[in-house]
């Protein structure tokens, strides 16, 4: 699993150009197929990764259908100037212009699945894509994201496309769906290392582009102004594809992965896996400070809300699950006699020990690994949605067992889509409310995060504990 931040500079495009120039990838000819279907999780993915392939096929008279999974309304989820509805409208207009630049004969199907929600609407994506494929002339070249690209929507779209392609080659295939799959990377160029085993280079195939096709692809990409240019000068309105990243998509060759065997595990099993230790290690290797816990006003404010929600002035002992670099841990040490912070990754713990010298830290993978003893306070902050449903349930059970009878659990989670999350903050808190034996004594919900405090069996309210009530 991969984690990245599109706002970071990413891998040098020139380094990739050198590597790809040495890669002996056989040709992929889109003109020999009966039709081409291109799956795009978000408007502009198709042009970035396969604009040249689309133009070449359409020029040869091959029917080309673009399947837009989402409207891309959440590309700037934190924008103070453009609402999701307005962004969806902008990107729809941009897509029409982009496809016209590539070729006037391209047709489009919009599935209008929520942006960031392909995992939750996997069946809708499957059904919509099968309907398109069965209506297209065979054999079909199905062009879809590479599932290892690092973006959750890209992963789900890639997995669905591969499952359909695999079925087309087996006895349970749709009768008229003869499908060949070509997978495209987008964010690999940003986070990957040229020559490293990040991608199946042995399956690489190349689509070579003439100067005229490259010019049309460039004009098509220019149409996506909402992604290429700042929406305003305000934070949250930065471009998603800046000039440096765009250079990855201006080469005279487009690269795809074909062939290969289907994953050994089922789609459901993949969906039910918790985020791995390796993915967190990779994140901290790129961003030693984690999620900018010290400098971000959002993090500063959320930390203040978290501390203010604690129902006691002082705790005997506290356990923080997913302590990261220990910035919140430091605040907890000011309210607890003994604090233990644990994290799945080793990398941030040195910073945590420096940030919160009064606390103790250990590397553990919950729920399989768990500290001994009991705690008056347990903090579950921003890690629940990285756990599989089974691991989340076991974590909740572990917390309940480790909590002193008069103790409390404080849970706090981000509510927006996260490309690396297994579920969502809202789903985590819904599950907590289902499994916890007592109702929450504190519930704070805002657009960005949800925070709740769940009491142990003998925990009393602040008013009762402080003598205001008998």
């Amino acid at each position: 699993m991969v984690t990245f931040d599109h706002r970071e500079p990413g891998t040098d495009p020139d380094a990739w150009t050198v590597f790809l120039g040495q890669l002996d990838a056989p040709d992929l000819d889109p003109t020999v197929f009966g039709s081409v279907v291109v799956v795009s999780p978000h408007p502009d993915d198709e042009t970035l990764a396969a604009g040249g392939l689309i133009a070449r096929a359409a020029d040869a008279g091959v029917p080309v259908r673009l399947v837009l999974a989402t409207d891309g309304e959440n590309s700037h989820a934190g924008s103070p100037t453009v609402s999701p509805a307005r962004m969806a409208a902008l990107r729809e207009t941009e897509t029409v212009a982009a496809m016209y630049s590539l070729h006037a004969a391209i047709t489009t199907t919009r599935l209008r699945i929520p942006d960031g929600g392909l995992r939750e609407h996997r069946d809708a994506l499957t059904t919509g894509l099968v309907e398109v494929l069965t209506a297209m002339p065979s054999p079909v070249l199905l062009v879809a994201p590479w599932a290892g690209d690092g973006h959750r929507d890209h992963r789900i779209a890639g997995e669905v496309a591969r499952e359909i392609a695999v079925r087309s080659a087996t006895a349970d295939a749709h009768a008229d769906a003869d499908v060949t799959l070509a997978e495209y990377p987008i964010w690999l160029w940003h986070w990957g290392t040229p020559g490293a085993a990040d991608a199946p280079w042995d399956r690489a195939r190349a689509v070579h582009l003439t100067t005229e096709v490259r010019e049309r692809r460039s004009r098509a990409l220019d149409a996506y102004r909402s992604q290429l240019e700042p929406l305003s000068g305000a934070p949250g309105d930065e471009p998603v594809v800046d000039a440096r990243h765009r250079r990855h998509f201006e080469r005279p060759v487009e690269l795809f992965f074909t062939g290969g065997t289907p994953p050994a595990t089922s789609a459901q099993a993949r969906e039910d896996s918790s985020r791995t230790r390796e993915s967190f290690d990779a994140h901290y290797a790129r961003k030693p400070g984690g999620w900018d816990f010290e400098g971000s006003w959002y993090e500063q404010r959320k930390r203040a809300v978290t501390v203010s929600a604690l129902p006691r002035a002082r705790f005997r002992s506290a356990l923080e699950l997913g302590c990261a670099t220990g910035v919140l841990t430091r605040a907890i040490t000011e309210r607890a006699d003994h604090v233990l912070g644990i994290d799945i990754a080793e990398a941030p713990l040195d910073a945590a020990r420096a940030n919160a010298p009064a606390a103790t830290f250990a590397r553990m993978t919950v729920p399989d690994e768990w500290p001994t003893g009991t705690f008056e306070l347990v903090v579950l902050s921003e890690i629940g949605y990285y756990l599989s449903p089974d691991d989340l349930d076991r974590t909740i059970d572990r917390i309940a067992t480790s909590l002193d009878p008069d103790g409390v659990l404080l849970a706090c989670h981000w509510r927006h889509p996260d490309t690396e999350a297994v579920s969502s903050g809202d789903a985590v808190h819904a599950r907590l409310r289902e499994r916890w034996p007592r109702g929450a004594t504190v519930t704070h919900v805002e657009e960005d995060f949800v925070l709740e405090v769940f009491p142990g069996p003998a925990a009393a309210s602040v008013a009762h504990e402080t003598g205001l009530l008998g």
Side-chain angles (χ1 to χ4, degrees), residues 6-17 187 189-190 228 239-251:
H6 75 270
R7 294 166 297 186
E8 295 178 345
T11 306
D12 183 359
D14 290 338
W16 275 117
T17 299
W187 292 108
W189 311 125
H190 181 75
L228 300 173
V240 176
V241 180
D242 61 21
R244 176 184 170 94
H245 191 56
R246 177 173 176 165
R247 287 172 54 200
H248 293 298
F249 309 102
E250 295 177 333
R251 300 186 180 97

Side-chain angles (χ1 to χ4, degrees), residues 334-374:
E334 298 174 359
R335 301 281 293 274
D337 298 332
H338 303 284
V339 180
L340 172 62
I342 64 176
D343 200 273
I344 190 174
E346 185 66 41
L349 292 181
D350 285 341
R353 294 183 181 101
N355 283 326
T360 302
F361 295 94
R363 195 208 68 76
M364 292 186 181
T365 301
V366 300
D368 294 329
E369 298 174 298
W370 200 263
T372 59
T374 61

Side-chain angles (χ1 to χ4, degrees), residues 118-135:
L118 292 194
R119 178 183 181 274
E120 292 76 16
H121 299 272
R122 190 182 189 115
D123 289 346
L125 175 61
T126 301
T127 300
L129 186 52
V130 167
E131 288 179 355
V132 169
L133 288 169
T134 55

Side-chain angles (χ1 to χ4, degrees), residues 401-418:
T401 301
S402 301
L403 197 66
D404 290 335
D406 63 342
V408 295
L409 162 65
L410 185 149
C412 180
H413 291 86
W414 173 252
R415 300 186 66 210
H416 298 293
D418 182 331

Side-chain angles (χ1 to χ4, degrees), residues 429-441:
H429 283 253
R431 192 59 176 161
L432 279 165
R433 289 190 290 272
E434 289 175 2
R435 293 184 67 85
W436 202 260
R438 295 183 63 186
T441 56

Side-chain angles (χ1 to χ4, degrees), residues 145-360:
W146 174 51
D149 203 37
H151 188 293
R152 187 174 74 156
D153 277 351
H154 291 206
R155 173 172 63 86
I156 300 303
E159 289 176 356
V160 167
R162 174 161 286 277
E163 289 161 8
I164 292 172
V166 168
R167 286 204 306 270
S168 77
T170 62
D172 65 343
H174 301 278
D176 55 350
D178 180 5
V179 176
T180 296
L181 178 64
E183 303 164 290
Y184 60 78
I186 287 183
W187 292 108
L188 166 67
W189 311 125
H190 181 75
W191 59 259
T193 302
D198 293 325
W201 302 116
D202 60 318
R203 298 197 285 115
R205 300 294 182 269
V207 175
H208 295 269
L209 311 178
T210 65
T211 299
E212 191 270 340
V213 167
R214 290 174 64 193
E215 289 173 350
R216 283 156 57 195
R217 181 185 61 181
S218 182
R219 289 197 299 272
L221 189 53
D222 285 340
Y224 287 108
R225 294 182 58 188
S226 70
Q227 306 303 296
L228 300 173
E229 301 174 4
L231 302 177
S232 76
D237 278 355
E238 302 87 354
V240 176
V241 180
D242 61 21
R244 176 184 170 94
H245 191 56
R246 177 173 176 165
R247 287 172 54 200
H248 293 298
F249 309 102
E250 295 177 333
R251 300 186 180 97
V253 175
E254 291 175 342
L255 197 78
F256 302 85
F257 303 124
T258 63
T261 57
T265 57
S266 69
Q268 186 61 45
R270 290 192 302 274
E271 287 297 292
D272 288 348
S273 297
S274 295
R275 183 175 173 181
T276 64
R277 176 185 175 185
E278 289 75 16
S279 74
F280 282 101
D281 288 340
H283 174 84
Y284 284 107
R286 286 190 293 274
K287 295 188 68 177
W291 284 263
D292 192 21
F293 303 110
E294 290 275 21
S296 165
W297 164 241
Y298 167 81
E299 291 291 344
Q300 295 170 19
R301 176 181 174 273
K302 185 185 68 173
R303 192 159 54 249
V305 173
T306 300
V307 173
S308 69
L310 294 174
R312 289 176 199 149
R314 195 79 189 167
F315 293 86
R316 297 182 299 272
S317 57
L319 169 65
E320 183 187 4
L321 303 174
C323 63
T325 57
V327 179
L328 176 59
T329 320
R330 181 176 59 214
I332 296 172
T333 62
E334 298 174 359
R335 301 281 293 274
D337 298 332
H338 303 284
V339 180
L340 172 62
I342 64 176
D343 200 273
I344 190 174
E346 185 66 41
L349 292 181
D350 285 341
R353 294 183 181 101
N355 283 326
T360 302

